[in-house]
Amino acid sequence: MSASATLRAGVARRGGRSPDTRASAAGIGLWVFMGVATALFSLFVMAYLMRMNGSDAVAIALPWQLWLSSALLAIGGVALQRAAAAARHAEAARARRLLGAGGLCALAFLAVQLWAWQALMSTQVTPAGNPGAAFFYLLTAMHGLHVMGGLAAWAWTVHAGWPDPAAAAWRIALCARYWHFLLAVWGVLFALLGWVTPEVARAICGTP
């Protein structure tokens, strides 16, 4: 009997769940969560379009820091994807380095987002200024909260997988999947905030 089969048999005798079962259940749970989050952000996108359709809406100039934060989020996702691959191939040291880099990029992403907020506020662009500014702070804050949730999962993964990354390869892969989701959502929000002006919103909503 192989080692994996022995492990599964031992788990079954103890009434527990095998690693494959836990990974499958966690993967399904993550897909469900991402589906709910997608629905939530979709509602915010529709609300933004309708509000920017108003006569008092004014587009804001996005700070350059958002390009930096976008790059950090993309790099973090790549690092976690490679960390999962390294863990599967039992490259423990490389997996740890990449896992750490993924989390640090997410922390840096949040820091740069706050820097972008500060840059806007220094030019008197506040949440109470106009609908475009209000939605900028709302949408970036909501996305930031989801990144913070991902960091909590990343910290749990580091705690569980640092001694033996190979045993936690599925956890690292789930973190990478969630980071890719965060990047996709951020890409949509960035495009929405940067290029959907009141004129574009009126065209989409069919307002003359």
Side-chain angles (χ1 to χ4, degrees):
M1 182 180 292
S2 67
S4 60
T6 302
L7 175 61
R8 292 190 183 93
V11 171
R13 285 195 298 271
R14 293 192 299 271
R17 294 187 299 173
S18 70
D20 288 345
T21 302
R22 294 200 306 273
S24 178
I28 293 172
L30 180 58
W31 281 118
V32 170
F33 175 80
M34 290 191 301
V36 172
T38 299
L40 174 65
F41 280 107
S42 296
L43 292 174
F44 278 120
V45 168
M46 289 187 287
Y48 178 82
L49 290 173
M50 289 187 290
R51 190 63 187 89
M52 290 299 286
N53 189 31
S55 58
D56 61 338
V58 178
I60 65 171
L62 297 184
W64 69 266
Q65 288 89 345
L66 297 187
W67 292 100
L68 175 58
S69 64
S70 301
L72 287 167
L73 195 59
I75 293 170
V78 171
L80 289 173
Q81 188 69 45
R82 292 185 175 179
R88 285 193 298 269
H89 290 88
E91 300 173 4
R94 185 167 183 265
R96 292 189 189 103
R97 287 196 302 270
L98 290 167
L99 181 59
L104 289 175
C105 283
L107 287 170
F109 169 84
L110 292 175
V112 174
Q113 293 292 80
L114 291 175
W115 184 14
W117 278 23
Q118 184 182 38
L120 279 181
M121 289 183 178
S122 67
T123 59
Q124 307 305 313
V125 179
T126 64
N130 64 71
F135 267 96
F136 172 84
Y137 290 106
L138 173 63
L139 293 175
T140 54
M142 285 298 299
H143 184 265
L145 287 174
H146 282 75
V147 174
M148 291 173 65
L151 278 169
W154 170 83
W156 169 70
T157 300
V158 170
H159 174 74
W162 199 262
D164 183 11
W170 63 273
R171 291 187 172 95
I172 302 172
L174 290 181
C175 280
R177 182 188 302 173
Y178 185 61
W179 253 246
H180 298 330
F181 168 74
L182 291 174
L183 179 61
V185 171
W186 175 244
V188 171
L189 296 181
F190 195 6
L192 183 77
L193 294 167
W195 289 282
V196 178
T197 62
E199 294 75 20
V200 174
R202 293 186 190 106
I204 293 173
C205 296
T207 303

